[in-house]
Amino acid sequence: MYNIFQPILSVDQAMNAEIDTYEMLIRNNNGEFPGINFLHSLTTQEGNDAWIKASRKSLKNALNEQQNRKIYINLEPCQMKFESIWQFLAEIREAYHDHVAIEITERRETIHSLDYLDREIQRLKEMGFELAIDDVCAGSNSYAFIKRQLKVVSRIKLSLLLFKDEDYELMISFVNAWLAFAEKHHLTFVIEGISNRQLAKKFAGNPVILQQGFYWGKGTAHFNSKEKVN
């Protein structure tokens, strides 16, 4: 397994895109998300040790080269029961400060108490991390959960892939509802799954919205000397 870095972009009305941040994503030898076996491995100490090793190497390569990048790493809630994870997070916070932020994923099958996750998210905030909630309205990242985290999170993400079986108008209705929520609570709103120019243009020009998806580039494992959009 290895990591790629997918750009998250601010796009103006003229479709000029500027990289805001990156999301660090894990991939297998086929260039795909490793799947359920990988997720299961994160419930074990061995699996987390492997994740830490890969993440440490990737962050070092990405941030030692250019310190002004900001990278979001995905954290599965089941990982937060391991002390080694907290040691790693303290390490990268000390090394990279605000250049590393955290996305809380929607998968919480192994967590039986929602209060537990509330406490752990507060702990992340107290360490100084900027926090995002990934894939709102998917899995366990419900409206009620996000509402409880408003004092500690600064951005939310909505994936258009959730609505691939719905018509365009209904998808836009969901986007507009979450956009209104983000604007009311002063959250940055990332729309994932931007797969074509029509979608990119639809959401261009709104300063609250950032875009992410294959249309803008699926990500890079090795940065060039000059930042690129695609």
Side-chain angles (χ1 to χ4, degrees):
M1 293 185 295
Y2 64 97
N3 289 299
I4 65 168
F5 298 87
Q6 189 174 55
I8 301 171
L9 304 117
S10 173
V11 184
D12 68 18
Q13 195 66 51
M15 292 288 283
N16 299 309
E18 180 180 348
I19 294 173
D20 175 80
T21 46
Y22 290 91
E23 181 180 2
M24 188 171 78
L25 302 169
I26 198 156
R27 294 292 182 261
N28 61 22
N29 289 334
N30 296 321
E32 301 171 342
F33 181 73
I36 192 65
N37 289 335
F38 165 72
L39 293 175
H40 179 73
S41 76
L42 294 181
T43 66
T44 70
Q45 184 67 62
E46 182 181 9
N48 277 278
D49 289 345
W51 180 86
I52 288 170
K53 182 178 179 180
S55 299
R56 181 184 287 122
K57 179 180 179 181
S58 296
L59 289 171
K60 181 178 180 180
N61 290 340
L63 293 172
N64 283 1
E65 177 186 333
Q66 187 164 325
Q67 282 287 335
N68 65 355
R69 294 187 180 114
K70 186 167 190 174
I71 294 172
Y72 275 81
I73 62 174
N74 288 295
L75 196 61
E76 302 284 340
C78 65
Q79 295 180 268
M80 289 188 270
K81 67 181 180 180
F82 296 100
E83 188 56 34
S84 58
I85 289 294
W86 293 101
Q87 293 170 359
F88 171 67
L89 293 174
E91 170 194 322
I92 61 174
R93 178 65 189 171
E94 181 177 359
Y96 305 118
H97 307 289
D98 291 339
H99 298 290
V100 176
I102 292 175
E103 287 188 19
I104 307 298
T105 73
E106 78 280 11
R107 295 173 283 264
R108 295 211 295 274
E109 290 86 350
T110 61
I111 304 301
H112 301 292
S113 168
L114 293 182
D115 290 343
Y116 159 85
L117 193 56
D118 289 348
R119 293 192 302 269
E120 299 308 292
I121 290 175
Q122 182 63 40
R123 183 177 176 183
L124 291 170
K125 185 66 175 179
E126 290 171 357
M127 291 176 73
F129 285 107
E130 184 176 322
L131 302 177
I133 294 181
D134 196 16
D135 287 344
V136 296
C137 78
S140 298
N141 284 352
S142 65
Y143 163 81
F145 171 73
I146 295 162
K147 193 75 181 291
R148 290 206 312 274
Q149 311 305 330
L150 285 176
K151 292 183 179 180
V152 293
V153 302
S154 59
R155 69 169 61 182
I156 58 174
K157 305 182 74 177
L158 176 70
S159 174
L160 301 184
L161 298 178
L162 292 173
F163 312 109
K164 58 182 173 44
D165 297 325
E166 304 293 349
D167 60 46
Y168 180 81
E169 289 74 19
L170 184 57
M171 178 188 71
I172 296 302
S173 295
F174 274 99
V175 172
N176 287 338
W178 280 106
L179 174 58
F181 178 86
E183 289 177 322
K184 177 180 179 180
H185 296 290
H186 309 290
L187 301 171
T188 301
F189 184 45
V190 181
I191 300 179
E192 297 183 276
I194 301 294
S195 58
N196 56 58
R197 185 175 179 82
Q198 178 191 12
L199 289 172
K201 193 170 181 60
K202 170 67 178 178
F203 303 118
N206 188 322
V208 176
I209 294 176
L210 298 176
Q211 298 190 25
Q212 182 179 0
F214 277 10
Y215 177 76
W216 296 112
K218 64 181 181 180
T220 180
H222 304 285
F223 287 102
N224 298 315
S225 58
K226 183 179 181 181
E227 302 288 82
K228 292 186 177 181
V229 172
N230 51 28

